[in-house]
Amino acid sequence: MSNTEVLSLFPETAASLGGRLSIGGVAASELAATYGTPLLVYDEATIRSSARAYRAAAPNVHIHFGSKAFPNVEVLRILREEGIGADVASLGELAFAQRAGYTGAEIVVHGNNKSDAELAAAAAVGALVAIDSLEELDRAKAAGIERGILRITPGIDADTHEAIRTAHHGSKFGVPPEVALDAIRHAPWLEGLHTHIGSQLFDAGAALMTADWIAAFAARARTETGWTPKTIDIGGGLGVATAPEDPRPSIHDFAGQVAAELERAWAEHGLPPVAVMMEPGRSLVGRAGVTLYSVGTVKQAADGTTYVAVDGGMSDNPRRALYQARYTAVLADRVDDETVGRFTVAGKHCESGDVLIDRVELPEPHRGDVLAVPATGAYTLSMASNYNALLRPAAVLVADGHARLIRRRETLDDLFALES
Ligand SMILES: *Cc1c(COP(=O)(O)O)cnc(C)c1O
């Protein structure tokens, strides 16, 4: 595995300067020294260029950020500046979007079990709401929701981990096609349809099938009920490479192909023009984020495994434990050094499953080395916990040789603030 291969998983501005990893023009080990570890480092240039890639590939499509990937006020502000809307699924995510300046017209509200308070909040801001069930239709109407799209499960098995597959028969999300027809007859005020087939997709195959499927369904709904969707939200799902062997999915190809296929299928069925939305989460922020850890204990187990233990783990990145996500890493100040063997990177939690990387080749790691794990900008800090009463990490944004804190590290006082 060559350096360039590994470096290509890092943000666009990442480089080895004399063997020292730099991101956004700042040395990673300096960031670790200044802000402490574990630390999430976000590269502003990569966030902006990912947003621009979507906008350029699909200029007529409204792009909304699946904010659960990393709900952070500053990152949301940046995405809003780039013309990206916000997709939220709780009062908390809605509050983050509003804090970042989003207004109702720029927000889509999701959730398979929206509370009355969530529906009321969505109505109060005038957000578009993805209705998830027949019973929610009436509750949404009663709550004063004026703009709704119906979430459908087409029965398409996305080629991804079962925990992040969302449109198969039996999914807890949305309604099956037959129920959707009933819903449309019952609520012709619905403005359109929504579907999201899953996450961490490495090619456009399933998304293209979904585009065809939704056009065919729209045509069927038009014939059987006389109703025609004005809006189609085709969801998110594009993956991010996290390990050297992963394919490198292209935002430009994915968004361009899906938008073109939808347009083609729409025309084929003779349907009137439709507003199209996409909701990428991971692909907007995943590559932009790098986690820095400090190396602690290095030791060999009886089976020959050499463990490199770091000062975080499943509390700041539960993705290997949840989805068998694979990652890689470099020693931030010895990027160009020869590797000496294979190591297993473990966290510091009281669980044997608290492993971040099963196998990674590294130069000899020592206590105090900074370990940098690329492609950890999505679904890491947003899924973080205080397991073992660990304090959740800080996040900094880097650009043009400068860093600034966009989320401070938790303190023990933060933990005690919840106790009575
Ligand atoms: C999670 C989610 C997204 C974003 O998914 P990614 O895989 O991060 O792109 C979009 N829409 C809905 C409804 C979601 O639940």
Side-chain angles (χ1 to χ4, degrees):
M1 152 176 119
S2 76
N3 273 342
T4 32
E5 228 178 338
V6 177
L7 274 180
S8 73
L9 300 168
F10 279 84
E12 288 171 8
T13 63
S16 163
L17 302 181
R20 289 187 91 193
L21 174 68
S22 134
I23 308 164
V26 190
S29 57
E30 263 169 44
L31 291 168
T34 306
Y35 296 97
T37 54
L39 180 70
L40 259 292
V41 179
Y42 280 87
D43 179 47
E44 183 170 344
T46 303
I47 298 173
R48 289 193 188 274
S49 78
S50 305
R52 287 173 196 175
Y54 270 104
R55 298 291 311 277
N60 299 321
V61 173
H62 303 278
I63 311 288
H64 289 256
F65 171 49
S67 68
K68 67 182 188 280
F70 184 48
N72 171 267
V73 175
E74 193 52 38
V75 166
L76 282 159
R77 275 195 196 119
I78 290 170
L79 289 170
R80 185 165 183 272
E81 272 175 23
E82 296 294 337
I84 307 286
D87 145 358
V88 304
S90 68
L91 287 180
E93 287 177 0
L94 176 61
F96 268 83
Q98 289 182 288
R99 180 70 67 97
Y102 280 97
T103 59
E106 304 163 316
I107 296 173
V108 189
V109 176
H110 286 286
N112 70 305
N113 182 26
K114 298 178 198 74
S115 66
D116 291 339
E118 284 163 346
L119 289 174
V125 299
L128 179 66
V129 176
I131 308 283
D132 205 84
S133 64
L134 269 183
E135 73 97 47
E136 194 173 272
L137 258 185
D138 293 331
R139 288 175 58 231
K141 195 73 197 156
I145 301 289
E146 286 178 355
R147 297 187 57 212
I149 51 179
L150 183 67
R151 180 162 182 170
I152 304 195
T153 41
I156 290 172
D157 281 347
D159 181 18
T160 188
H161 190 278
E162 62 180 66
I164 48 179
R165 200 182 285 154
T166 51
H168 51 289
H169 293 306
S171 169
K172 78 164 181 170
F173 297 102
V175 297
E178 299 305 323
V179 178
L181 290 171
D182 285 344
I184 288 163
R185 283 188 197 97
H186 177 69
W189 60 272
L190 281 168
E191 164 178 326
L193 302 170
H194 170 273
T195 185
H196 168 70
I197 51 171
S199 204
Q200 191 62 337
L201 311 173
F202 279 124
D203 62 57
L208 296 177
M209 264 166 64
T210 306
D212 292 344
W213 188 93
I214 202 104
F217 179 84
R220 179 176 168 205
R222 186 172 162 87
T223 309
E224 293 186 22
T225 71
W227 174 90
T228 309
K230 296 185 198 67
T231 299
I232 291 294
D233 184 342
I234 195 89
L238 181 62
V240 165
T242 62
E245 63 271 24
D246 285 345
R248 307 299 151 103
S250 149
I251 291 176
H252 197 273
D253 293 352
F254 181 87
Q257 286 171 19
V258 173
E261 183 60 17
L262 204 54
E263 199 176 323
R264 190 203 60 74
W266 225 250
E268 181 184 300
H269 289 284
L271 289 158
V274 69
V276 178
M277 298 167 53
M278 287 183 194
E279 301 166 332
R282 187 190 314 273
S283 50
L284 283 172
V285 294
R287 186 182 169 199
V290 176
T291 311
L292 304 181
Y293 298 98
S294 293
V295 170
T297 299
V298 179
K299 69 177 182 188
Q300 203 165 40
D303 68 353
T305 305
T306 307
Y307 282 103
V308 178
V310 295
D311 52 353
M314 64 194 294
S315 59
D316 60 79
N317 184 354
R319 296 196 61 259
R320 179 192 169 280
L322 281 173
Y323 317 126
Q324 289 90 49
R326 291 164 308 171
Y327 288 102
T328 190
V330 299
L331 293 180
D333 279 341
R334 282 187 279 149
V335 175
D336 300 331
D337 284 14
E338 287 295 318
T339 59
V340 296
R342 289 189 170 163
F343 298 88
T344 298
V345 177
K348 61 180 283 135
H349 291 280
C350 306
E351 303 266 338
S352 292
D354 176 33
V355 165
L356 285 172
I357 310 174
D358 291 282
R359 273 164 169 269
V360 56
E361 294 197 14
L362 294 172
E364 196 68 52
H366 303 295
R367 171 171 292 277
D369 282 342
V370 173
L371 186 88
V373 183
T376 48
Y379 303 108
T380 52
L381 202 42
S382 68
M383 288 183 154
S385 74
N386 291 117
Y387 184 41
N388 282 134
L390 254 62
L391 305 171
R392 279 178 292 186
V396 295
L397 188 75
V398 290
D400 306 322
H402 296 286
R404 67 195 162 95
L405 199 62
I406 55 170
R407 185 186 151 108
R408 73 160 168 81
R409 185 175 306 284
E410 276 178 338
T411 64
L412 274 180
D413 283 341
D414 291 326
L415 297 190
F416 289 132
L418 305 175
E419 299 289 306
S420 30

